[in-house]
Amino acid sequence: MAQTKQARITAVGHDLPDDRLTNSELEAVVDTNDEWIRSRTGIEERRILKDEDKATAFMGAEAAKEALKQRNISANEIDVIIVATVTPDYLFPATACLIQKELGAVNAFGYDLSAACSGFLFALSNGANQIESGRAEKVLVIGADKMSSIIDYTDRSTCILFGDGAGAVLLEASEDETGIIDYIHHTDGDTDGALYQPAGGSLNPADENTVARRLHYVKQDGRTVFKKAIVGMADVIEEIMEQNRLSANDVDWLAPHQANLRIIEATANRTGLNRDRVMVNIDKYGNTTAATIPLCLYDWKEKLNHNDDIILAAFGGGYTWGSLYLKWGIK
Ligand SMILES: CC(C)(COP(=O)(O)OP(=O)(O)OC[C@H]1O[C@@H](n2cnc3c(N)ncnc32)[C@H](O)[C@@H]1OP(=O)(O)O)[C@@H](O)C(=O)NCCC(=O)NCCS
């Protein structure tokens, strides 16, 4: 087996549908208004994948293709494909299988990982472990969600929040001190239905009743999740900073999950991180679930310097939450 090496991100790709859904367009659909949405969430618009024959695998594959092109490597060099998503094209086969076929990644095995808004973070640490163990040389980690497929556009408390999109990173062994250094992940299944999609799984398979009761859509007790997210995100960032002896000044960038601008700002304040060092693109895309963090990395990649200390952090359904500390490896 190859020698243990730290995993680093060597390329970042993305995919966003062209169609935009603005706050004022939502005003025509539910009882809401632009001012409320902006001030309570920071969201101005989101992207919606409207093509009926396209879904999460399409966006994930496009993001992966961009990452491969950036690194100038062919798909048959990929060993593993991990797809974080809560909106797989099918319950099975896994979205990773569909992406594997689309890419022609004939030497890769792949699987989906379901951890809602923390999915990309968990998938990234998973992928890094495969590189570090020497079992894999090139791993694609993709966060992709077509949230519009599980959103109830008659429910104003959720339909204003979510959008569609995908981000992908390529992981390879690091040749220097850069790469994924540490991570902390948590799960607490005691949510009492605060955030879930009640039907479509093996407990409540689809029937006329589940459809009539709109149980195939996201249900969220926003206020409860909000309180949990603020504490969870800030705690887990402080935890990883402490564990790695990082002060706020040592952290060059924070890439937080984009669920609500107020959660992001409260987290930055509590951890003492300067607001201009915090990646925020929720205004443009809303909450794209597993895609928010790789979309941040994509949008910021021109500003990131080799060796920058970056913390990624997320909180979401499950509950799941976590942080990850890396040194940026792309020159
Ligand atoms: C959903 C969320 C934006 C709601 O914001 P909030 O400030 O908590 O708002 P509340 O739910 O307390 O609702 C306040 C009022 O606004 C109303 N309201 C809710 N949605 C509205 C909308 N889209 N437009 C206008 N008014 C709305 C509510 O009915 C309520 O009215 P009331 O006071 O008359 O009962 C916020 O709770 C949130 O972001 N939650 C966490 C999301 C998250 O992190 N999820 C995890 C990752 S997916």
Side-chain angles (χ1 to χ4, degrees), residues 32 36 40-41 117 156 220 222-223 225 259-260 262-263 287:
T32 190
W36 191 97
R40 298 287 181 120
T41 71
C117 297
R156 70 174 183 175
Q220 175 171 251
R223 219 172 289 191
V225 179
N260 188 315
R262 290 185 291 146
I263 297 176
N287 182 351

Side-chain angles (χ1 to χ4, degrees), residues 30-33 36-37 40-41 43 116-118 147 155-162 195 218 220-227 229-230 257-263 287 289 315-317 319:
V30 285
D31 180 14
T32 190
N33 59 77
W36 191 97
I37 301 173
R40 298 287 181 120
T41 71
I43 301 168
C117 297
S118 309
M147 293 306 291
D155 175 5
R156 70 174 183 175
S157 70
T158 52
C159 75
I160 57 150
L161 299 172
F162 295 94
L195 178 53
V218 171
Q220 175 171 251
D221 171 358
R223 219 172 289 191
T224 301
V225 179
F226 187 88
K227 286 186 208 147
I230 282 196
H257 173 55
Q258 312 279 308
N260 188 315
L261 183 60
R262 290 185 291 146
I263 297 176
N287 182 351
T289 304
F315 186 95
Y319 299 114

